[in-house]
Amino acid sequence: MLTLIALMAVSLSALGADMQETEMSSNQSCITMSEMNLTLQMRELWAEHVIWTRMFIMSVADNTTDKAAVTERLLKNYDDMADAMKPYYGDENASEFGELIEDHLLIAASLVEAAKAGNSTAAADAEDMWYENADEIAAFQSSINPYWNETALMTMWHDHLKLTKDEAVARLTMDYTGDIAAYDQIAAQANMMADSISEGIRKQFPDMFKM
C-alpha cells in the first residue's frame, strides 16, 4: 500500500515539476498557477479513486483483515470529489455528484463481493446497475457543464468500468500479471478522465484561472 501511495506522490510531483518548467520556459503564460493546481487536484482525486478501489479488490480477493479500514478510506473519495466541485457548482450540485460517485463505489464493491462468492446472478445484476449509474453520472456532469460532452463522458466511464472489472477478475483468478497490466491501464485512463474534468472547468470558468 505504501508503495502505491509513494508512486502516486512521485507521479503528482513529476507532473507539477513538468508544468512549472513549461510555464517558466515560455515568455507567454502557457498555464497559470491556478490551472496547474486544478489539474493536480483532479489527478490526485482520481489517483486515490483507483488506488483505493484496487486496495479493496485486493482485500476481498485475498481475504485480508483490512477490508473494513480500506472500505472506509475508499468511501472518503466520494466526499473529496464532491468537495472539489463546490467552488464551481455549489453545495447542491456537488452533493448530488458525490452521491452518484458513492453509488458507483458501493456498486463496485458489491460486484467484487458477489464475484468472490461465485454468485454470478448477483454479479451480473450489480454490473447492470454499475453501467446505469455511470450513464447517470455522465448525464449529470453534462447538465452542469456544457464543455462536458455526455457521449464522451459515457465512453470514458464505460472504459473505466471495463478496466476495473478486468482488474478484479484478474486478481480474483490469481492472474497477477494481468492484474498489474489492468491497473496500469486504469491509472493512465484515470489521468485522462481527471484532465478532461479539469479542462471542462477551466473552459466554463476562465475568469477563475487567470492567476
Side-chain angles (χ1 to χ4, degrees), residues 162-178:
K162 178 186 179 301
L163 290 170
T164 302
K165 179 184 176 182
D166 289 346
E167 176 188 23
V169 169
R171 188 76 189 188
L172 288 166
T173 58
M174 294 184 288
D175 175 11
Y176 299 123
T177 300

PDB file of all heavy atoms in Angstrom, residues 162-178:
ATOM      1  N   LYS A 162     -14.994  -1.130 -17.400  1.00  0.00           N
ATOM      2  CA  LYS A 162     -14.453  -2.337 -18.035  1.00  0.00           C
ATOM      3  C   LYS A 162     -13.060  -2.665 -17.482  1.00  0.00           C
ATOM      4  O   LYS A 162     -12.759  -3.821 -17.168  1.00  0.00           O
ATOM      5  CB  LYS A 162     -14.384  -2.169 -19.549  1.00  0.00           C
ATOM      6  CG  LYS A 162     -13.786  -3.383 -20.265  1.00  0.00           C
ATOM      7  CD  LYS A 162     -13.594  -3.137 -21.741  1.00  0.00           C
ATOM      8  CE  LYS A 162     -12.977  -4.380 -22.405  1.00  0.00           C
ATOM      9  NZ  LYS A 162     -11.653  -4.753 -21.802  1.00  0.00           N
ATOM     10  N   LEU A 163     -12.222  -1.633 -17.404  1.00  0.00           N
ATOM     11  CA  LEU A 163     -10.857  -1.855 -16.927  1.00  0.00           C
ATOM     12  C   LEU A 163     -10.853  -2.296 -15.463  1.00  0.00           C
ATOM     13  O   LEU A 163     -10.067  -3.161 -15.065  1.00  0.00           O
ATOM     14  CB  LEU A 163     -10.026  -0.586 -17.104  1.00  0.00           C
ATOM     15  CG  LEU A 163      -9.692  -0.212 -18.550  1.00  0.00           C
ATOM     16  CD1 LEU A 163      -9.089   1.194 -18.609  1.00  0.00           C
ATOM     17  CD2 LEU A 163      -8.732  -1.229 -19.166  1.00  0.00           C
ATOM     18  N   THR A 164     -11.735  -1.708 -14.661  1.00  0.00           N
ATOM     19  CA  THR A 164     -11.812  -2.091 -13.252  1.00  0.00           C
ATOM     20  C   THR A 164     -12.294  -3.528 -13.105  1.00  0.00           C
ATOM     21  O   THR A 164     -11.782  -4.287 -12.262  1.00  0.00           O
ATOM     22  CB  THR A 164     -12.737  -1.136 -12.487  1.00  0.00           C
ATOM     23  OG1 THR A 164     -12.257   0.205 -12.629  1.00  0.00           O
ATOM     24  CG2 THR A 164     -12.783  -1.491 -11.002  1.00  0.00           C
ATOM     25  N   LYS A 165     -13.263  -3.923 -13.926  1.00  0.00           N
ATOM     26  CA  LYS A 165     -13.714  -5.318 -13.894  1.00  0.00           C
ATOM     27  C   LYS A 165     -12.584  -6.254 -14.317  1.00  0.00           C
ATOM     28  O   LYS A 165     -12.374  -7.309 -13.699  1.00  0.00           O
ATOM     29  CB  LYS A 165     -14.923  -5.509 -14.816  1.00  0.00           C
ATOM     30  CG  LYS A 165     -15.434  -6.952 -14.837  1.00  0.00           C
ATOM     31  CD  LYS A 165     -16.565  -7.151 -15.824  1.00  0.00           C
ATOM     32  CE  LYS A 165     -16.967  -8.616 -15.883  1.00  0.00           C
ATOM     33  NZ  LYS A 165     -18.052  -8.867 -16.868  1.00  0.00           N
ATOM     34  N   ASP A 166     -11.839  -5.869 -15.356  1.00  0.00           N
ATOM     35  CA  ASP A 166     -10.704  -6.689 -15.796  1.00  0.00           C
ATOM     36  C   ASP A 166      -9.703  -6.880 -14.655  1.00  0.00           C
ATOM     37  O   ASP A 166      -9.174  -7.985 -14.447  1.00  0.00           O
ATOM     38  CB  ASP A 166     -10.000  -6.035 -16.986  1.00  0.00           C
ATOM     39  CG  ASP A 166     -10.821  -6.078 -18.267  1.00  0.00           C
ATOM     40  OD1 ASP A 166     -11.811  -6.846 -18.320  1.00  0.00           O
ATOM     41  OD2 ASP A 166     -10.474  -5.343 -19.208  1.00  0.00           O
ATOM     42  N   GLU A 167      -9.448  -5.793 -13.942  1.00  0.00           N
ATOM     43  CA  GLU A 167      -8.529  -5.849 -12.811  1.00  0.00           C
ATOM     44  C   GLU A 167      -9.047  -6.810 -11.740  1.00  0.00           C
ATOM     45  O   GLU A 167      -8.291  -7.648 -11.220  1.00  0.00           O
ATOM     46  CB  GLU A 167      -8.359  -4.449 -12.227  1.00  0.00           C
ATOM     47  CG  GLU A 167      -7.494  -4.383 -10.985  1.00  0.00           C
ATOM     48  CD  GLU A 167      -7.516  -3.008 -10.333  1.00  0.00           C
ATOM     49  OE1 GLU A 167      -8.477  -2.236 -10.549  1.00  0.00           O
ATOM     50  OE2 GLU A 167      -6.566  -2.719  -9.578  1.00  0.00           O
ATOM     51  N   ALA A 168     -10.329  -6.687 -11.405  1.00  0.00           N
ATOM     52  CA  ALA A 168     -10.915  -7.527 -10.363  1.00  0.00           C
ATOM     53  C   ALA A 168     -10.900  -9.003 -10.760  1.00  0.00           C
ATOM     54  O   ALA A 168     -10.546  -9.875  -9.946  1.00  0.00           O
ATOM     55  CB  ALA A 168     -12.338  -7.074 -10.067  1.00  0.00           C
ATOM     56  N   VAL A 169     -11.278  -9.280 -11.992  1.00  0.00           N
ATOM     57  CA  VAL A 169     -11.299 -10.671 -12.461  1.00  0.00           C
ATOM     58  C   VAL A 169      -9.899 -11.269 -12.413  1.00  0.00           C
ATOM     59  O   VAL A 169      -9.702 -12.404 -11.963  1.00  0.00           O
ATOM     60  CB  VAL A 169     -11.889 -10.754 -13.881  1.00  0.00           C
ATOM     61  CG1 VAL A 169     -11.664 -12.146 -14.482  1.00  0.00           C
ATOM     62  CG2 VAL A 169     -13.372 -10.423 -13.871  1.00  0.00           C
ATOM     63  N   ALA A 170      -8.923 -10.493 -12.869  1.00  0.00           N
ATOM     64  CA  ALA A 170      -7.545 -10.987 -12.861  1.00  0.00           C
ATOM     65  C   ALA A 170      -7.078 -11.286 -11.438  1.00  0.00           C
ATOM     66  O   ALA A 170      -6.458 -12.329 -11.173  1.00  0.00           O
ATOM     67  CB  ALA A 170      -6.619  -9.976 -13.527  1.00  0.00           C
ATOM     68  N   ARG A 171      -7.402 -10.382 -10.512  1.00  0.00           N
ATOM     69  CA  ARG A 171      -6.966 -10.594  -9.121  1.00  0.00           C
ATOM     70  C   ARG A 171      -7.680 -11.793  -8.496  1.00  0.00           C
ATOM     71  O   ARG A 171      -7.060 -12.609  -7.801  1.00  0.00           O
ATOM     72  CB  ARG A 171      -7.251  -9.333  -8.291  1.00  0.00           C
ATOM     73  CG  ARG A 171      -6.652  -9.385  -6.894  1.00  0.00           C
ATOM     74  CD  ARG A 171      -5.158  -9.138  -6.948  1.00  0.00           C
ATOM     75  NE  ARG A 171      -4.515  -9.389  -5.668  1.00  0.00           N
ATOM     76  CZ  ARG A 171      -3.242  -9.099  -5.421  1.00  0.00           C
ATOM     77  NH1 ARG A 171      -2.487  -8.560  -6.379  1.00  0.00           N
ATOM     78  NH2 ARG A 171      -2.706  -9.351  -4.251  1.00  0.00           N
ATOM     79  N   LEU A 172      -8.976 -11.888  -8.750  1.00  0.00           N
ATOM     80  CA  LEU A 172      -9.751 -12.989  -8.168  1.00  0.00           C
ATOM     81  C   LEU A 172      -9.317 -14.347  -8.701  1.00  0.00           C
ATOM     82  O   LEU A 172      -9.446 -15.363  -8.002  1.00  0.00           O
ATOM     83  CB  LEU A 172     -11.240 -12.774  -8.434  1.00  0.00           C
ATOM     84  CG  LEU A 172     -11.909 -11.646  -7.639  1.00  0.00           C
ATOM     85  CD1 LEU A 172     -13.268 -11.300  -8.240  1.00  0.00           C
ATOM     86  CD2 LEU A 172     -12.060 -12.030  -6.165  1.00  0.00           C
ATOM     87  N   THR A 173      -8.817 -14.387  -9.924  1.00  0.00           N
ATOM     88  CA  THR A 173      -8.365 -15.649 -10.518  1.00  0.00           C
ATOM     89  C   THR A 173      -6.859 -15.850 -10.366  1.00  0.00           C
ATOM     90  O   THR A 173      -6.283 -16.733 -10.989  1.00  0.00           O
ATOM     91  CB  THR A 173      -8.753 -15.710 -12.011  1.00  0.00           C
ATOM     92  OG1 THR A 173      -8.188 -14.587 -12.705  1.00  0.00           O
ATOM     93  CG2 THR A 173     -10.261 -15.692 -12.193  1.00  0.00           C
ATOM     94  N   MET A 174      -6.236 -14.986  -9.575  1.00  0.00           N
ATOM     95  CA  MET A 174      -4.799 -15.060  -9.282  1.00  0.00           C
ATOM     96  C   MET A 174      -3.928 -14.908 -10.531  1.00  0.00           C
ATOM     97  O   MET A 174      -2.823 -15.439 -10.601  1.00  0.00           O
ATOM     98  CB  MET A 174      -4.464 -16.353  -8.530  1.00  0.00           C
ATOM     99  CG  MET A 174      -5.076 -16.393  -7.136  1.00  0.00           C
ATOM    100  SD  MET A 174      -4.604 -17.851  -6.164  1.00  0.00           S
ATOM    101  CE  MET A 174      -5.525 -19.124  -7.015  1.00  0.00           C
ATOM    102  N   ASP A 175      -4.443 -14.166 -11.510  1.00  0.00           N
ATOM    103  CA  ASP A 175      -3.654 -13.801 -12.687  1.00  0.00           C
ATOM    104  C   ASP A 175      -2.967 -12.471 -12.361  1.00  0.00           C
ATOM    105  O   ASP A 175      -3.414 -11.406 -12.765  1.00  0.00           O
ATOM    106  CB  ASP A 175      -4.572 -13.663 -13.912  1.00  0.00           C
ATOM    107  CG  ASP A 175      -3.834 -13.169 -15.153  1.00  0.00           C
ATOM    108  OD1 ASP A 175      -2.587 -13.123 -15.133  1.00  0.00           O
ATOM    109  OD2 ASP A 175      -4.518 -12.800 -16.135  1.00  0.00           O
ATOM    110  N   TYR A 176      -1.883 -12.538 -11.616  1.00  0.00           N
ATOM    111  CA  TYR A 176      -1.283 -11.332 -11.079  1.00  0.00           C
ATOM    112  C   TYR A 176      -0.620 -10.473 -12.155  1.00  0.00           C
ATOM    113  O   TYR A 176      -0.595  -9.246 -12.052  1.00  0.00           O
ATOM    114  CB  TYR A 176      -0.289 -11.694  -9.976  1.00  0.00           C
ATOM    115  CG  TYR A 176      -0.957 -12.419  -8.825  1.00  0.00           C
ATOM    116  CD1 TYR A 176      -0.518 -13.677  -8.418  1.00  0.00           C
ATOM    117  CD2 TYR A 176      -2.052 -11.858  -8.170  1.00  0.00           C
ATOM    118  CE1 TYR A 176      -1.148 -14.346  -7.378  1.00  0.00           C
ATOM    119  CE2 TYR A 176      -2.686 -12.519  -7.131  1.00  0.00           C
ATOM    120  CZ  TYR A 176      -2.231 -13.768  -6.740  1.00  0.00           C
ATOM    121  OH  TYR A 176      -2.863 -14.428  -5.716  1.00  0.00           O
ATOM    122  N   THR A 177      -0.119 -11.108 -13.198  1.00  0.00           N
ATOM    123  CA  THR A 177       0.441 -10.335 -14.315  1.00  0.00           C
ATOM    124  C   THR A 177      -0.662  -9.541 -15.009  1.00  0.00           C
ATOM    125  O   THR A 177      -0.495  -8.351 -15.315  1.00  0.00           O
ATOM    126  CB  THR A 177       1.133 -11.267 -15.330  1.00  0.00           C
ATOM    127  OG1 THR A 177       2.194 -11.976 -14.673  1.00  0.00           O
ATOM    128  CG2 THR A 177       1.702 -10.464 -16.495  1.00  0.00           C
ATOM    129  N   GLY A 178      -1.789 -10.192 -15.247  1.00  0.00           N
ATOM    130  CA  GLY A 178      -2.926  -9.498 -15.846  1.00  0.00           C
ATOM    131  C   GLY A 178      -3.491  -8.429 -14.946  1.00  0.00           C
ATOM    132  O   GLY A 178      -3.914  -7.356 -15.401  1.00  0.00           O
TER     133      GLY A 178
END
